Amino acid sequence: FCRREVLHFQVACQNRSAGCDWISCLGDLEDHLTGCTFKTYPCKYHSRGCTVRLLKSQVHYKCDFRDIECPQCRAITAMNLLTDHISTDCMESRIECPANCKQKFLRKELENHLAYDCSEKTLACIFGSADCRFEAKRPQMETHLCHNESDHLRLVANQCVGLTEIVGHLT
């Protein structure tokens, strides 16, 4: 008797907040829920941290964790990480030189810029292996190399003498 009475209680669908207006007796609820079009699902990106529950038709369109193509480099990243990707990782993003020479270029050109073009990059003298300890920014380095040719020649000559002595002891 009690069970029959309980099964006849009027209940609303648990998906009412999603828009379902179904109301009927408790005994019919299970059958209704199997086909309810307002049933929500965890977003397919819940493994990335999404806590939103959506209708099936919404999963691909509303999630901040969905995959998106970077408009600059075409790499695939999560929607919520796109801004970070563009500002720190995207090789097609325009950046300003980290050495403060004020030049702007694509991030993929940074290594080449620092190695060959940057006027603010501090360089070690190319005669460092011959014991020249001079370091300066690129423009000053060019001046150093031009004005110290004889000093560099002497350093290389001394290095050759030292190597000749070492080879002489080996034979």
Side-chain angles (χ1 to χ4, degrees):
F1 172 75
C2 287
R3 178 174 163 74
R4 189 176 28 198
E5 288 296 316
V6 169
L7 290 175
H8 281 83
F9 283 149
Q10 292 288 299
V11 294
C13 177
Q14 65 191 38
N15 299 316
R16 185 177 186 154
S17 63
C20 184
D21 59 1
W22 180 90
I23 297 175
S24 189
C25 60
L26 181 61
D28 296 335
L29 180 61
E30 189 175 332
D31 287 340
H32 167 73
L33 288 176
T34 59
C36 180
T37 58
F38 291 94
K39 182 177 180 181
T40 58
Y41 299 87
C43 176
K44 79 180 221 174
Y45 300 107
H46 70 276
S47 64
R48 294 182 182 176
C50 184
T51 58
V52 175
R53 292 186 65 84
L54 303 165
L55 299 174
K56 274 190 174 181
S57 63
Q58 295 174 316
V59 171
H60 296 293
Y61 305 111
K62 297 205 178 207
C63 182
D64 288 339
F65 292 82
R66 73 186 180 277
D67 286 338
I68 188 166
E69 186 178 88
C70 172
Q72 295 176 351
C73 71
R74 305 284 187 235
I76 302 300
T77 187
M79 178 68 178
N80 64 328
L81 300 176
L82 181 61
T83 302
D84 288 341
H85 165 77
I86 289 173
S87 65
T88 61
D89 298 325
C90 180
M91 296 308 276
E92 298 295 327
S93 289
R94 290 196 64 74
I95 62 169
E96 193 168 298
C97 176
N100 297 315
C101 76
K102 307 295 184 215
Q103 287 193 31
K104 292 185 178 181
F105 41 83
L106 298 179
R107 181 174 280 112
K108 68 183 178 184
E109 297 167 349
L110 174 61
E111 188 175 322
N112 191 54
H113 168 76
L114 291 174
Y116 303 108
D117 300 325
C118 183
S119 62
E120 294 297 311
K121 171 85 167 143
T122 299
L123 305 169
C125 180
I126 60 170
F127 292 96
S129 63
D131 213 24
C132 180
R133 303 285 179 227
F134 186 80
E135 289 186 354
K137 293 183 179 174
R138 192 175 307 280
Q140 292 80 24
M141 183 57 69
E142 291 171 10
T143 302
H144 166 75
L145 292 172
C146 288
H147 287 77
N148 293 282
E149 289 175 342
S150 61
D151 291 337
H152 290 140
L153 184 58
R154 184 181 42 76
L155 288 171
V156 171
N158 288 342
Q159 191 176 41
C160 287
V161 169
L163 291 173
T164 302
E165 289 174 3
I166 292 171
V167 169
H169 291 314
L170 294 176
T171 56

